[in-house]
Amino acid sequence: MENLSESELNALVSLLDDTDHEVKDHVKGKIISLGNDVIPFLEKKWESSFNPDVQKEIEELVHQLQFDLLKERLEQWKASGGKDLLRGLWIINTYQYPDLEFDKLNAEMNQIYFEVWTGFKTDVSAYDQVRLINNILFSQLRFSANTKNFHSPGNSMISNVLDTRRGNPISLCAVYYLVAQKLGLPVYGVNLPNLFVLTYKAPDAAIYINAFNKGLIFSKQDINNYLEHLKISPKEEFFEPCSHLDIAKRTLRNLIVAFDKLGEPEKVEEIRELLQILDPPIL
């Protein structure tokens, strides 16, 4: 952050209710240029202010600073190849929960992994390994489909899913996938139309898992039947593993639908902005 004294910062904030829009825009631009380090100061000014107009301006500035940081992190994650899925989901999570620390989320995920690991066996078939994970995640830890509030934005926020043990197809699959990968299993995400599932893909086994239906195990033929029911022609991508970037993009698309249904067009546009970082339009 640029070295401004507290009195200089106070002077800047005091101009947020200036009636001259040009002055106000200049002040806001100056504050934004100071970066995220200025947020604690702005939050203190919000608490001590008795002017609702100034408070609103501060809220918008803080949100803009946090959103800019989110975009920067998302760009860096994409540039890294999106190797760490949990980090990518955490970055998206900070849209709703900007103060969430990655280490806290990682610790919660590690605890779930530990619960599964203690009841897991490596010397059984792929089918039985999946059944063991299903039993711990869905029976013991009680993860389940959030069918009552299917389009809630919280279903796409990994921290909320870990707290409530409720989620949508992709978030429940993400939890399952992160656990399975840490166990060293060849489990991957699969992008189906209107549904996200997992596949256990090994030379001697190729099964599919529906985490939204308590880990229901099904076959490639079941996918064909599903596609036929939707009148959609089969494509290779409907049967093969997808990337972490694909999972993040689908999570963002779910959020667009969620905020659209809530009638929050500003949030819809911001999430579209995030989606364009991962999936830029072809010019």
Side-chain angles (χ1 to χ4, degrees):
M1 184 173 72
E2 187 180 332
N3 289 325
L4 294 182
S5 67
E6 188 167 335
S7 61
E8 288 173 319
L9 287 170
N10 280 322
L12 274 176
V13 173
S14 69
L15 292 170
L16 286 174
D17 66 343
D18 198 292
T19 54
D20 188 326
H21 289 293
E22 194 172 326
V23 170
K24 187 187 289 188
D25 288 344
H26 175 74
V27 168
K28 288 163 76 172
K30 179 67 175 176
I31 292 173
I32 289 292
S33 74
L34 298 175
N36 269 54
D37 289 344
V38 79
I39 288 178
F41 175 82
L42 291 174
E43 289 174 337
K44 285 182 182 177
K45 293 302 292 183
W46 185 93
E47 290 170 1
S48 62
S49 175
F50 292 98
N51 185 331
D53 292 331
V54 170
Q55 285 183 320
K56 187 173 185 298
E57 294 287 357
I58 291 173
E59 287 168 10
E60 290 176 357
L61 282 168
V62 169
H63 175 71
Q64 187 60 55
L65 285 163
Q66 290 169 334
F67 188 59
D68 287 345
L69 177 62
L70 192 167
K71 289 190 289 184
E72 182 183 328
R73 283 171 170 165
L74 198 60
E75 285 167 352
Q76 290 171 350
W77 182 73
K78 181 188 178 184
S80 75
K83 293 183 180 69
D84 186 342
L85 176 62
L86 184 61
R87 188 167 292 275
L89 294 177
W90 163 70
I91 292 168
I92 294 171
N93 208 130
T94 61
Y95 181 75
Q96 288 279 82
Y97 304 98
D99 296 328
L100 176 69
E101 295 291 338
F102 176 75
D103 288 347
K104 179 179 183 296
L105 184 66
N106 193 39
E108 289 178 11
M109 199 62 237
N110 280 335
Q111 182 58 40
I112 290 167
Y113 160 73
F114 178 76
E115 297 278 353
V116 177
W117 176 79
T118 55
F120 189 71
K121 296 176 183 176
T122 56
D123 58 347
V124 296
S125 68
Y127 184 88
D128 286 334
Q129 286 179 341
V130 170
R131 289 184 63 192
L132 284 170
I133 297 175
N134 287 349
N135 180 57
I136 298 168
L137 283 182
F138 303 116
S139 296
Q140 295 180 29
L141 298 180
R142 297 184 173 278
F143 278 93
S144 65
N146 191 346
T147 52
K148 288 184 179 178
N149 296 296
F150 182 80
H151 291 293
S152 167
N155 289 332
S156 296
M157 297 289 156
I158 188 73
S159 68
N160 194 66
V161 175
L162 297 185
D163 287 342
T164 64
R165 306 292 165 96
R166 299 284 185 277
N168 58 22
I170 195 161
S171 60
L172 291 173
C173 277
V175 172
Y176 199 117
Y177 167 84
L178 288 165
V179 168
Q181 285 284 305
K182 200 156 187 177
L183 288 169
L185 302 179
V187 171
Y188 311 95
V190 178
N191 246 327
L192 281 176
N194 303 330
L195 184 63
F196 194 88
V197 297
L198 298 164
T199 181
Y200 187 118
K201 196 172 180 64
D204 59 340
I207 57 178
Y208 293 88
I209 308 156
N210 184 351
F212 196 65
N213 191 2
K214 299 183 178 180
L216 176 73
I217 298 170
F218 59 104
S219 68
K220 185 174 182 178
Q221 184 54 48
D222 290 318
I223 293 181
N224 279 317
N225 295 341
Y226 172 75
L227 294 171
E228 188 177 339
H229 178 72
L230 293 178
K231 294 181 172 56
I232 294 174
S233 299
K235 295 180 183 177
E236 188 177 345
E237 66 191 75
F238 297 155
F239 303 93
E240 296 299 318
C242 67
S243 70
H244 292 170
L245 284 172
D246 289 327
I247 293 173
K249 286 188 283 188
R250 187 140 181 178
T251 299
L252 289 171
R253 290 190 182 102
N254 281 348
L255 278 172
I256 288 171
V257 172
F259 287 127
D260 184 53
K261 286 186 176 295
L262 288 173
E264 300 193 52
E266 291 178 359
K267 290 186 176 181
V268 168
E269 288 308 309
E270 286 183 329
I271 300 299
R272 282 187 175 140
E273 201 175 328
L274 299 180
L275 182 58
Q276 284 191 353
I277 292 173
L278 299 184
D279 193 17
I282 299 172
L283 301 177

